[in-house]
Amino acid sequence: MDTAIVQALRIAEDHQANITFISVLKSVRSWLTTFRDKEELAKEIGVIEEKKRALVESRIRSLAPSLRVNIVVSSGINFIEIIKHAIDNQHDLVVKCAEDMDWIDRMLGSEDMHLLRKCPCPVLMLKPDQKDSFRRLLATVDVNNKFDELDEGQVQDELNQQVLEYSATLAIPELSEMHIGSSWEAYAEDFLRHGGFSSTPEEKVDRYVEQERRDCTSKLQMLVRKMDEMLGKETVQYLQPRSHLIKGQASREIPLMVENYDIDLIIMGTVGRVGIPGLIIGNTAESILEQTKCSILAIKPEGFKTPVKG
């Protein structure tokens, strides 16, 4: 609990934001209701909620004595109650500590994945032993041509900009080291080079692959220039972000970047199909999430529709 509280307090202080703490109690199993009438059960749940509220308030007071505490305690399914509250109160960010899943060698449990998939606002999922500040951030952007919605890639472009903006916003107050990472591939290169039915000359394939590399490099440079315009050159020069463009599949290369550069926090956009409730995280993003053991900030594009109703 302390990990999420400390990080939420720090972010709220850095950005002069209001903060609400929510604790969700699991719903009472239906068979228990047979031994109590509704009035008795409601009274008992009320007592439990008040005890939980007092416990949370006590812990927060020990960490931030002067803070005006806004605490919500509810009963139900954890991720659903969190999302409903985020929708109803138009929150800008959800901060949660990940379930401790080291015993099966992955950090994210099913509740966490549901929250990342379905929460409409950005979700900061912290690893259980996350320190107070992030030393190194990795902003992941997609510069390939293979993702192309009906809007000719506008969704991806806007999401890339959001990723960079959030990354800079988190990096500046803590003087964090900022990395910008992406991977690139030349579509069907293996088939063109090694396919049994391909007769494309090797030199032509080389030219095609080199042009794809140049295009992706140009897109990454353009994103950095846009970040200059959005944040101001002085801010970007202050951050001195390091860019990495690696050939290969993002599902493999991004987790390797996290490991190679000792990243504390990865910021990523999660794109599936905009406008279809719940279908937001594609196979690549889910693969990265399952392999990554650092903290994660997952951002949704404009137009995302959650299946959870507020």
Side-chain angles (χ1 to χ4, degrees):
M1 180 170 70
D2 280 5
T3 300
I5 292 174
V6 169
Q7 200 62 243
L9 290 171
R10 184 184 65 80
I11 293 171
E13 182 179 1
D14 287 343
H15 303 284
Q16 292 80 53
N18 295 323
I19 183 170
T20 297
F21 296 92
I22 182 169
S23 181
V24 182
L25 304 174
K26 288 186 178 180
S27 297
V28 178
R29 294 183 181 275
S30 59
W31 65 269
L32 289 176
T33 62
T34 60
F35 300 100
R36 299 171 175 84
D37 58 35
K38 289 184 179 180
E39 185 176 336
E40 182 184 4
L41 184 61
K43 184 177 179 180
E44 186 172 330
I45 291 174
V47 171
I48 295 172
E49 288 181 350
E50 284 305 312
K51 287 182 178 180
K52 184 66 173 180
R53 187 189 309 277
L55 177 64
V56 173
E57 183 174 3
S58 173
R59 194 64 198 131
I60 295 169
R61 292 291 185 200
S62 69
L63 296 168
S66 61
L67 181 71
R68 292 181 61 185
V69 182
N70 182 24
I71 299 172
V72 174
V73 179
S74 63
S75 301
I77 298 174
N78 191 288
F79 76 91
I80 291 178
E81 294 302 315
I82 292 173
I83 293 174
K84 286 166 64 176
H85 191 79
I87 294 170
D88 292 342
N89 295 275
Q90 297 183 322
H91 288 302
D92 300 308
L93 176 69
V94 169
V95 180
K96 182 184 181 297
C97 187
E99 298 172 14
D100 190 352
M101 298 293 287
D102 289 342
W103 61 281
I104 57 172
D105 201 33
R106 57 179 286 190
M107 186 180 78
L108 298 176
S110 59
E111 287 275 337
D112 296 333
M113 289 302 294
H114 277 303
L115 185 61
L116 289 167
R117 287 188 185 107
K118 298 168 184 176
C119 187
C121 70
V123 176
L124 176 57
M125 191 68 66
L126 302 165
K127 66 178 183 179
D129 60 346
Q130 175 64 51
K131 293 181 170 57
D132 292 355
S133 61
F134 301 112
R135 297 168 301 162
R136 300 178 187 87
L137 282 64
L138 175 64
T140 63
V141 293
D142 189 344
V143 295
N144 280 276
N145 292 317
K146 59 184 180 181
F147 179 85
D148 190 15
E149 289 274 3
L150 296 177
D151 64 357
E152 298 182 350
Q154 183 178 345
V155 169
Q156 187 65 69
D157 290 342
E158 291 178 353
L159 198 51
N160 284 337
Q161 291 297 323
Q162 282 184 278
V163 166
L164 293 177
E165 185 176 359
Y166 272 98
S167 300
T169 300
L170 288 170
I172 291 169
E174 303 301 322
L175 304 177
S176 303
E177 183 180 300
M178 182 175 170
H179 297 255
I180 302 172
S182 189
S183 66
W184 70 279
E185 294 180 89
Y187 179 74
E189 179 186 357
D190 285 346
F191 172 78
L192 293 173
R193 291 192 188 280
H194 311 297
F197 298 98
S198 175
S199 57
T200 309
E202 191 75 13
E203 296 81 5
K204 191 172 182 178
V205 177
D206 289 342
R207 288 196 300 271
Y208 158 67
V209 173
E210 176 59 17
Q211 186 59 52
E212 288 294 300
R213 186 194 67 79
R214 289 179 180 177
D215 287 347
C216 291
T217 300
S218 177
K219 284 186 178 182
L220 183 58
Q221 291 171 344
M222 181 183 66
L223 283 171
V224 175
R225 286 197 300 271
K226 285 184 177 180
M227 187 172 71
D228 287 352
E229 297 170 4
M230 179 173 56
L231 301 174
K233 284 190 176 181
E234 288 186 2
T235 301
V236 175
Q237 288 174 355
Y238 173 76
L239 287 174
Q240 295 186 331
R242 297 169 57 187
S243 296
H244 312 281
L245 182 62
I246 308 297
K247 185 180 181 184
Q249 295 182 348
S251 58
R252 169 179 168 79
E253 300 305 330
I254 297 300
L256 284 175
M257 286 185 204
V258 171
E259 183 178 346
N260 291 339
Y261 298 108
D262 194 20
I263 298 297
D264 297 305
L265 174 67
I266 179 173
I267 300 96
M268 62 186 299
T270 52
V271 172
R273 287 292 178 265
V274 174
I276 303 177
L279 295 182
I280 191 64
I281 296 185
N283 291 337
T284 298
E286 289 222 1
S287 179
I288 293 171
L289 289 172
E290 290 181 352
Q291 294 178 71
T292 302
K293 294 184 180 179
C294 66
S295 297
I296 299 161
L297 175 60
I299 303 169
K300 307 294 193 306
E302 292 293 330
F304 169 68
K305 295 182 180 179
T306 177
V308 178
K309 303 302 179 184

